[in-house]
Amino acid sequence: MQTLTSMTPVRAGYTKQSVGGRTRIGGFTALLWPYLLIVPSIAYLVVMLLIPLVQGAALSLTDTRLINPSGGRFVGLDNYTRLIEQPLFWQSVGTTLVYTAFTVLFAVGIGTIAALLLNRPFRGRTAVRSMMALPWALPTVATALVFSWMFNLSNGVLNRGSQALGLGQIGWLTDPRWGLVSVTMASVWAVFPLVMLVVLAAMQSIPEELYEAASLDGANAWQSFRAVTWPHITPTVRVVALLMTIWSIRRFEIIFLLTGGGPNNSTTTLVVNVYREAFQDEQLGRAAAIGVFGLLLSLVVTFVYFAAERRRTKREAH
Amino acid sequence: MRISRKSFAVAIASAGALALTSCAAATPTDDGAPVSITFANWEFTNGEAGERLWEQVADYTGPDGNVTLVKEATAFTSFSDKLNTELGAGGGPDVFLVQDAQFNSLARAGLLEPLDDVYERVADGLNASNDDAVIDGVRYGLNWERPNYAMLYNAALLEQAQVEVPTTFQELLQAAEAIQSATGAQGFAGRTSTTELDGWALEMGNWVFGHGGALAVDGEVTLNSAENVAALESFAELYRSGAMTVGDDSSTFRTKFGQGQIGFMFDNAGAIVSMASNADPSISSQFHAAPLPFETPTVVANPTWIVVNPHGKHIEAAKDFVEWVVNPTAQQRISSVQGAIRFATDVELTDEFIAANPWGLELLALSDDSRTTVVPGFEEDTKALWREFLTAAEAVLVGGADVQDALDQAQTIVEQDLG
């Protein structure tokens, strides 16, 4: 164990210490040290989040082109005015909301049911859990490729099956009535395992004694679920639903890879619209305006969630 | 919490070392030192033909023998979007190919290096296919190739279905249906989705030009002209006939054509080279090219310029490479893979190539009456104009919209956008 051998005042609030033959800096620096430790995190947030956000908002007020990013002129709210007048923009807002609602609904529903099933003991449970988690682990590009083959009009397994059943062909990726359905199906398949894993983890933290008590009280499986399981996993389900909602609003790869926003713009969500404006039409300013709108949409969802959460907490406290 | 001076010193020394390392990496190479230049070309992704094309240029070492060429292969579908993004950010490959539709806007944005000096050194050997790479008196590119479109067909399928090579749209429609019912193969294949915007614009150009249409005439946008309406109505009729592939992307239907599963396509010389080189010889020997079955014989050409990035690290080395590309030896080597295409210089097809590829001369014969999809007077807005036209086409094909209404709406949107 080292002992403090001397302490020499250097200037106010700053001391030079010699510890076991080594000199240490204490006092003022020691006070600063915790702040220094969080500087990297703050710097990361500022550089990767705050500055891009502010720059994006500023960009949305210019007519900047992709191939001339420094040559944009200030155009005020022109990009927003144009957006509001554009039917495709409002269509993409509607598509985003429908896609998000159904993706979250099915992903959370299927994920929770899968977690309930996998929480029961049975032979090969670990292997089944691993298999069920695979879709989440697969790269999105691979998932999109597999689904594009499955959805193929003439050779896809789904249409081969439907033809064998005498139901004819369905234009999964070519018919505007089915485009969004197909994209939602592929998305749900890719993301439900995350819900399953998170809810499963929450279920495993429920004390076994509660189930035993419920059993002694004569509760059946459904009553056990309602009285014990559901109240315990509800906060987890809420948070995962919030995350799923935000991720669905901004999901791009699987939609773009499967349909590119088609057929006939039926799967053009806000984010696909941003891509088109920015990288195909080369209109960075307009794309940034859509991005700002998407950000506001995410903020509204988050705000609604926390407002509801606060109200619920207050109600429970009373 | 306390930290020792030694720890501070080590941290500062480490940071300094890192900074010095990065500075050293950024130091420009000396004259004669090894230089790497990147060459971006979507054709390198064309399977075996792409590999063979790369082999023709890969051993380039520059006039001083110190240059290494690095391949940058990006699929055609995303090539222009990726390139625009890289160039806009001040990066990008040293040398790259750029399509005519993109050439103007990149040049006007200062993203192409002037090549007048290169041109002066090689002008004697060049043909007229290089003439259009001059904007406001400045040359920005040389012709890498100028492939043109044609109606490609599989003669064996026509024979099985007992149909002749069509010369009118109605004959094409009947022949496609006959092939489908007689052989089980698909009658006609082509792009039908804005997902492949650039490629579909080139294909649709054949329908528009073939019907005497254009997206603009004398400085006025004419998306909803009678000729364009007729072109889109013909295309929609073929689409709805059931004799056309629906839902396949270009790589899928080209593969099918290479496997003898498709009767007709409107496609270009570069595509048929790729399909033929990847196909069984017994099938590829059945490939032929014919004029489009429309009244106006004009076909689409897709001039592809080889250009230099002004933000590249080795501009002079990149210019040397462009100069090398148009020398007779390099032209012959590139032609040996790419085949029946107009190059920067007049390159004769070899007897061996003609014997193995009967479509070669048939296709080249159509190049004299070919034009690009760049819209005169709206060069920088070409992509936006085609996007609106094809969005209308998609609304007709899969949304059931009326052709005239869809093109009227597209016309209105474009007029609003362009002011």
Side-chain angles (χ1 to χ4, degrees):
Chain A
M1 190 176 164
Q2 292 176 330
T3 52
L4 188 67
T5 53
S6 70
M7 185 178 280
T8 315
V10 177
R11 63 172 180 261
Y14 188 92
T15 52
K16 187 176 168 184
Q17 299 168 353
S18 180
V19 180
R22 291 192 306 163
T23 305
R24 284 178 180 260
I25 299 166
F28 191 61
T29 308
L31 276 175
L32 278 180
W33 190 239
Y35 298 101
L36 284 174
L37 283 175
I38 61 166
V39 162
S41 305
I42 291 173
Y44 178 83
L45 287 174
V46 168
V47 172
M48 305 301 284
L49 195 73
L50 195 63
I51 293 176
L53 267 180
V54 172
Q55 277 197 330
L59 197 62
S60 72
L61 304 174
T62 68
D63 63 355
T64 305
R65 301 286 298 253
L66 177 68
I67 56 173
N68 189 13
S70 56
R73 291 176 301 122
F74 179 76
V75 293
L77 295 174
D78 280 6
N79 290 327
Y80 292 95
T81 312
R82 186 180 175 280
L83 272 189
I84 291 166
E85 291 170 352
Q86 209 181 36
L88 180 61
F89 170 70
W90 292 111
Q91 186 186 331
S92 70
V93 173
T95 304
T96 306
L97 294 176
V98 172
Y99 167 78
T100 301
F102 281 97
T103 303
V104 174
L105 187 70
F106 283 105
V108 171
I110 294 171
T112 306
I113 292 168
L116 282 169
L117 295 174
L118 291 181
N119 196 36
R120 292 158 174 259
F122 60 89
R123 184 177 290 182
R125 186 171 68 166
T126 309
V128 174
R129 279 180 183 174
S130 305
M131 278 174 56
M132 296 280 278
L134 262 183
W136 175 253
L138 277 180
T140 311
V141 174
T143 303
L145 265 179
V146 169
F147 272 92
S148 69
W149 292 329
M150 286 169 61
F151 287 139
N152 186 279
L153 188 70
S154 48
N155 301 314
V157 65
L158 293 179
N159 273 344
R160 290 281 169 149
S162 67
Q163 280 176 312
L165 295 170
L167 300 174
Q169 286 183 330
I170 294 172
W172 296 102
L173 299 176
T174 56
D175 186 334
R177 293 168 301 176
W178 287 96
L180 195 56
V181 175
S182 311
V183 164
T184 306
M185 281 166 63
S187 303
V188 169
W189 186 84
V191 300
F192 91 87
L194 179 73
V195 181
M196 180 190 79
L197 293 173
V198 173
V199 174
L200 193 58
M203 281 179 185
Q204 288 176 347
S205 69
I206 301 173
E208 195 58 34
E209 296 78 13
L210 293 178
Y211 288 109
E212 287 167 7
S215 177
L216 286 173
D217 287 344
N220 59 25
W222 171 244
Q223 287 166 330
S224 261
F225 172 75
R226 280 195 61 192
V228 180
T229 311
W230 184 245
H232 274 86
I233 65 170
T234 303
T236 306
V237 170
R238 273 202 213 102
V239 172
V240 87
L242 173 71
L243 292 175
M244 282 283 152
T245 305
I246 293 170
W247 292 338
S248 297
I249 288 172
R250 66 183 205 188
R251 187 164 294 117
F252 172 75
E253 306 100 303
I254 200 161
I255 303 172
F256 192 77
L257 290 169
L258 277 175
T259 63
N264 200 20
N265 292 321
S266 62
T267 58
T268 299
T269 57
L270 277 172
V271 187
V272 173
N273 212 0
V274 169
Y275 177 84
R276 281 186 172 186
E277 286 283 4
F279 299 103
Q280 293 183 339
D281 293 353
E282 302 169 11
Q283 298 285 354
L284 279 187
R286 293 179 192 170
I290 304 173
V292 169
F293 188 89
L295 172 71
L296 292 177
L297 192 63
S298 295
L299 285 176
V300 167
V301 170
T302 312
F303 176 77
V304 168
Y305 168 81
F306 281 112
E309 192 70 4
R310 194 179 302 124
R311 190 176 300 168
R312 192 184 62 81
T313 311
K314 276 184 184 170
R315 203 171 48 233
E316 284 176 2
H318 285 108
Chain B
M1 185 178 291
R2 296 187 172 101
I3 53 169
S4 67
R5 278 183 175 171
K6 197 184 285 180
S7 302
F8 265 127
V10 168
I12 288 165
S14 304
L18 271 173
L20 286 172
T21 308
S22 59
C23 287
T27 303
T29 49
D30 298 323
D31 287 344
V35 166
S36 289
I37 56 173
T38 47
F39 178 31
N41 181 346
W42 64 83
E43 292 164 331
F44 294 147
T45 64
N46 288 343
E48 191 189 327
E51 286 299 320
R52 283 175 51 217
L53 180 62
W54 168 244
E55 285 166 14
Q56 306 312 312
V57 296
D59 58 0
Y60 172 79
T61 55
D64 300 324
N66 63 335
V67 176
T68 304
L69 203 60
V70 178
K71 175 168 71 169
E72 192 174 304
T74 305
F76 179 78
T77 315
S78 50
F79 188 87
S80 65
D81 293 350
K82 179 172 181 281
L83 189 65
N84 282 346
T85 311
E86 289 176 338
L87 293 175
D94 295 297
V95 184
F96 52 93
L97 300 191
V98 57
Q99 290 184 89
D100 213 25
Q102 204 183 357
F103 182 72
N104 258 280
S105 53
L106 291 183
R108 290 182 198 281
L111 295 174
L112 301 182
E113 175 72 14
L115 296 180
D116 293 294
D117 49 346
V118 175
Y119 182 77
E120 278 173 23
R121 293 197 290 271
V122 297
D124 283 349
L126 300 182
N127 60 31
S129 69
N130 296 278
D131 292 353
D132 294 336
V134 178
I135 296 171
D136 297 336
V138 180
R139 169 169 295 279
Y140 292 101
L142 292 176
N143 176 25
W144 169 258
E145 62 186 19
R146 194 178 193 277
N148 59 274
Y149 278 71
M151 180 173 70
L152 308 181
Y153 63 92
N154 181 322
L157 292 177
L158 267 68
E159 195 178 326
Q160 282 179 53
Q162 297 182 322
V163 291
E164 298 292 319
V165 178
T167 56
T168 65
F169 170 69
Q170 284 306 321
E171 286 177 10
L172 171 66
L173 186 62
Q174 287 160 11
E177 288 172 338
I179 285 173
Q180 187 134 328
S181 59
T183 68
Q186 203 79 41
F188 186 91
R191 292 177 170 98
T192 57
S193 164
T194 50
T195 310
E196 295 187 271
L197 189 71
D198 294 338
W200 197 18
L202 291 166
E203 285 181 25
M204 184 59 82
N206 291 293
W207 292 80
V208 169
F209 299 157
H211 285 76
L215 298 201
V217 177
D218 297 333
E220 297 288 327
V221 176
T222 55
L223 295 196
N224 59 348
S225 70
E227 293 84 1
N228 292 350
V229 170
L232 192 47
E233 278 175 345
S234 296
F235 188 82
E237 190 177 350
L238 182 59
Y239 178 89
R240 290 178 186 135
S241 70
M244 183 173 178
T245 56
V246 175
D248 286 347
D249 61 11
S250 56
S251 70
T252 305
F253 66 67
R254 281 174 174 166
T255 302
K256 286 182 176 176
F257 189 86
Q259 293 169 343
Q261 297 175 28
I262 285 172
F264 298 98
M265 289 168 64
F266 292 175
D267 218 328
N268 65 58
I272 194 171
V273 164
S274 175
M275 291 186 288
S277 63
N278 293 324
D280 187 294
S282 66
I283 297 174
S284 63
S285 63
Q286 299 297 318
F287 295 168
H288 284 272
L292 301 181
F294 302 130
E295 276 188 25
T296 307
T298 307
V299 296
V300 166
N302 184 22
T304 303
W305 310 107
I306 182 165
V307 296
V308 170
N309 184 352
H311 300 303
K313 285 179 187 163
H314 308 292
I315 293 174
E316 290 310 314
K319 285 182 172 179
D320 288 340
F321 174 65
V322 173
E323 186 175 339
W324 175 83
V325 159
V326 296
N327 84 53
T329 310
Q331 289 280 285
Q332 196 66 52
R333 291 170 73 173
I334 294 166
S335 159
S336 70
V337 179
Q338 297 297 78
I341 294 179
R342 292 279 177 230
F343 293 99
T345 62
D346 293 330
V347 186
E348 293 293 322
L349 289 178
T350 62
D351 293 340
E352 187 188 2
F353 185 90
I354 294 168
N357 303 286
W359 47 266
L361 291 177
E362 297 162 350
L363 213 146
L364 263 184
L366 302 175
S367 67
D368 293 335
D369 192 358
S370 61
R371 57 181 283 199
T372 85
T373 52
V374 171
V375 184
F378 296 89
E379 287 81 2
E380 288 184 70
D381 296 306
T382 287
K383 197 166 179 178
L385 290 175
W386 277 108
R387 163 183 271 301
E388 287 309 327
F389 187 89
L390 295 175
T391 300
E394 199 171 44
V396 169
L397 300 181
V398 299
D402 175 72
V403 173
Q404 184 72 60
D405 291 346
L407 287 180
D408 284 347
Q409 193 180 346
Q411 175 82 13
T412 307
I413 292 171
V414 166
E415 284 173 356
Q416 282 171 352
D417 269 7
L418 299 181

